[in-house]
Amino acid sequence: MLNLNNNSANIKREILVRIAKLELAGNLVKGVHYIPREMAPKDKPPFRCCVYHDREILRMRVLARLGCSVEEYDDDKPLSEYAEEALKRKKPTWPMLTVLHDACNACVRSHYMVTNACQGCFARPCMINCPKKAITVDRHAHIDETKCVNCGLCLQNCPYHSIIKIPVPCEEACPVDAITKDETGHERIDYDKCIFCGRCMSECPFGAMMDKSQLVDVIQRLMKKKQKVVALYAPAIAAQFKANPGQLEAALLAAGFDDVLEVAIGADICADKEAAEFEERMHRGDKMMTTSCCSAYVRAVQIHVPALKPCVSETRSPMHYTAAIAKKENPKCITVFIGPCLAKRREGFDDKLVDYILSIEEIGALFIAKNIDVASYEPAPGKTIPTATGRGFAKTGGVSEAVKVRLHDKSILKEGVINGLSKTGMKTLAMYGMINAGKMPQPADCPNLIEVMACEGGCIGGPLVITNPKIANTLLAEYVKNGKQQEKK
């Protein structure tokens, strides 16, 4: 997995901060034109062929951070016009992803390569085990690309680890094969297959896969003050900032939000409903039930594993229930969900109770633009403190644990967890689908409550986080401790 600390991520955050500062100062339309020039000055060595090419790429990156699709880029249209359109925009535009064609490296197709570490050994396990006879050895192994089928057996069998795989990172990361090359060798996304897990965006070393920001839209709402703007922050957010409970709420209020709700409150509602639904399903004889809070997983089932559809919990997501609380209190308020997830933006398009979705990167940029240091604020805890298990939704195993403690009859439970929807995870889903459809026998140890998280480690490992998941896990543990303890049934 690509480290969070990389140049592509740093450039993205710098653009977000610059846009936020300009908009807050009322100077976005005039100032946006100068962002590429300031970030790629003439006295700085260019990343590409020349500084002018760098600036052109930056122009298109700015476009995505304004919430526009790069595919609609017009070279003759100044950034100021795009900024004006963004400020007038009534709602986010589809799709949430955009591909920067000019930044895409058009990587060669995935293949295996023999390195200089090859010893041309007598055993020759690479050659002997190749099913297509694509390998010959003459003091050094050679792979015939016309015969190779990329099975990887040569890599697995080489005792010197001299054979390596050269992947196409975005294609390799996509669990549903939604990314393929076009006629020019550049990558494109099939949105009919895409589950919006964000893996391609996280893994592309050239930053060609970009999410379309909604930061400009939210800042507009905060500045105009025509309607109450409510921040709904996911439990994973608290694990991104080194702050005590209540400090994040105070920081969000300082950023201009009128009210703040923890989405862990909605997670408690979700867990209550899923526990009741699970017991009802098991008593009526269902084979299994899967959790439903991960929208990337739900979309994966709808598109790619239809046999598992009947097993997906009918319970809505914590985001939905928290937005419902906000809208019930003030029907005309603007709800802004803040989380680490790209798929939530897709869910937001279908949920009338959710108006905007901000990533952790975007709220972090807003904090920087407004000189807000979260850890320096006096805690301002919310009116409702969620349970520890509700806050635990952010990590793998947290959802199933929240359901478990709410069950009246725990003896019926056999837990299972899919920790990340990789290609392997999708195969496991397909297997469960076949079991549910009666095409495979149900093993005795088959789980009947299956928690599925599209991101490894859970939401704290999402594609839009800013903190290393291992560190975030430690911070989350402290945050969870401060939640109310669930009464055991």
Side-chain angles (χ1 to χ4, degrees), residues 40 49 62 68 88 115 123 136 142 268 314 323 330 344 348 368 371 386 402 405 435-436 438-439 455 470:
C49 59
V62 169
C68 307
K88 294 176 183 177
T115 69
T136 55
H142 301 275
D268 281 332
E314 295 176 2
N330 186 337
K344 285 297 178 188
I368 293 171
N371 295 313
V405 300
I435 290 172
N436 184 63
K439 296 180 179 180
C455 299
K470 290 183 179 179

Side-chain angles (χ1 to χ4, degrees), residues 208-441:
M209 305 291 180
M210 302 186 296
D211 59 310
K212 287 161 55 180
S213 175
Q214 297 179 19
L215 183 59
V216 168
D217 310 66
V218 173
I219 292 177
Q220 272 290 92
R221 294 289 191 174
L222 294 175
M223 292 178 69
K224 286 185 176 180
K225 292 294 183 184
K226 289 185 177 180
Q227 292 166 278
K228 184 178 180 181
V229 184
V230 183
L232 318 172
Y233 75 89
I237 299 296
Q240 301 297 307
F241 300 95
K242 294 181 180 179
N244 295 318
Q247 287 183 311
L248 183 57
E249 283 90 339
L252 288 166
L253 291 171
F257 290 95
D258 298 291
D259 199 3
V260 181
L261 293 176
E262 282 193 62
V263 176
I265 299 169
D268 281 332
I269 298 172
C270 178
D272 287 342
K273 289 180 177 292
E274 285 201 337
E277 183 183 351
F278 174 71
E279 290 186 318
E280 180 185 341
R281 282 173 175 259
M282 292 305 103
H283 289 149
R284 77 187 184 201
D286 284 13
K287 293 179 181 178
M288 63 186 77
M289 185 185 94
T290 74
T291 56
S292 59
C293 63
C294 176
S295 45
Y297 157 66
V298 173
R299 183 171 170 84
V301 169
Q302 292 171 342
I303 299 174
H304 302 283
V305 195
L308 205 56
K309 277 186 185 180
C311 301
V312 179
S313 169
E314 295 176 2
T315 301
R316 300 291 296 269
S317 72
M319 177 178 78
H320 171 81
Y321 292 121
T322 311
I325 292 171
K327 293 286 188 180
K328 183 177 181 180
E329 186 175 319
N330 186 337
K332 294 184 178 180
C333 75
I334 299 297
T335 53
V336 181
F337 174 81
I338 306 169
C341 181
L342 180 70
K344 285 297 178 188
R345 287 188 176 165
R346 179 66 186 87
E347 183 184 339
F349 271 95
D350 299 326
D351 194 332
K352 294 180 180 179
L353 299 181
V354 181
D355 296 299
Y356 296 103
I357 312 282
L358 287 187
S359 70
I360 297 171
E361 292 174 315
E362 289 161 348
I363 201 65
L366 180 59
F367 285 161
I368 293 171
K370 299 200 78 167
N371 295 313
I372 292 173
D373 176 13
V374 179
S376 69
Y377 280 83
E378 285 294 321
K383 293 169 286 191
T384 304
I385 305 300
T387 67
T389 55
R391 287 176 166 178
F393 261 54
K395 67 176 181 177
T396 294
V399 180
S400 58
E401 177 62 23
V403 173
K404 179 180 179 179
V405 300
R406 288 165 167 80
L407 295 177
H408 293 89
D409 181 8
K410 294 178 176 57
S411 65
I412 65 173
L413 177 66
K414 289 189 286 186
E415 297 173 75
V417 173
I418 295 180
N419 183 21
L421 275 187
S422 59
K423 293 181 189 292
T424 301
M426 288 301 299
K427 289 179 181 178
T428 304
L429 282 188
M431 179 190 70
Y432 286 140
M434 292 178 71
I435 290 172
N436 184 63
K439 296 180 179 180
M440 276 182 68

Side-chain angles (χ1 to χ4, degrees), residues 81-222:
E81 289 188 23
Y82 285 108
E84 285 179 339
E85 291 173 3
L87 292 171
K88 294 176 183 177
R89 190 167 51 221
K90 299 297 182 183
K91 59 182 180 179
T93 58
W94 173 266
M96 301 84 62
L97 278 171
T98 183
V99 183
L100 180 44
H101 184 280
D102 287 2
C104 177
N105 193 47
C107 307
V108 296
R109 76 178 183 88
S110 178
H111 66 285
Y112 289 85
M113 183 179 80
V114 182
T115 69
N116 290 335
C118 176
Q119 302 295 304
C121 67
F122 177 70
R124 299 184 178 180
C126 59
M127 184 180 76
I128 299 300
N129 288 282
C130 178
K132 296 298 181 180
K133 307 302 179 187
I135 299 178
T136 55
V137 181
D138 179 14
R139 296 187 180 181
H140 191 277
H142 301 275
I143 299 176
D144 185 342
E145 295 287 344
T146 62
K147 295 180 179 178
C148 179
V149 292
N150 282 351
C151 67
L153 286 174
C154 56
L155 180 148
Q156 296 171 30
N157 283 280
C158 178
Y160 293 100
H161 305 288
S162 67
I163 299 177
I164 61 173
K165 182 178 183 180
I166 309 295
V168 178
C170 59
E171 291 183 14
E172 188 89 355
C174 181
V176 293
D177 298 325
I179 300 176
T180 54
K181 293 183 179 297
D182 62 17
E183 59 279 359
T184 68
H186 293 80
E187 304 297 333
R188 61 183 175 187
I189 300 173
D190 183 342
Y191 292 111
D192 291 330
K193 289 183 178 180
C194 181
I195 62 173
F196 302 103
C197 63
R199 284 174 175 261
C200 60
M201 191 172 63
S202 299
E203 296 303 315
C204 176
F206 289 87
M209 305 291 180
M210 302 186 296
D211 59 310
K212 287 161 55 180
S213 175
Q214 297 179 19
L215 183 59
V216 168
D217 310 66
V218 173
I219 292 177
Q220 272 290 92
R221 294 289 191 174
L222 294 175

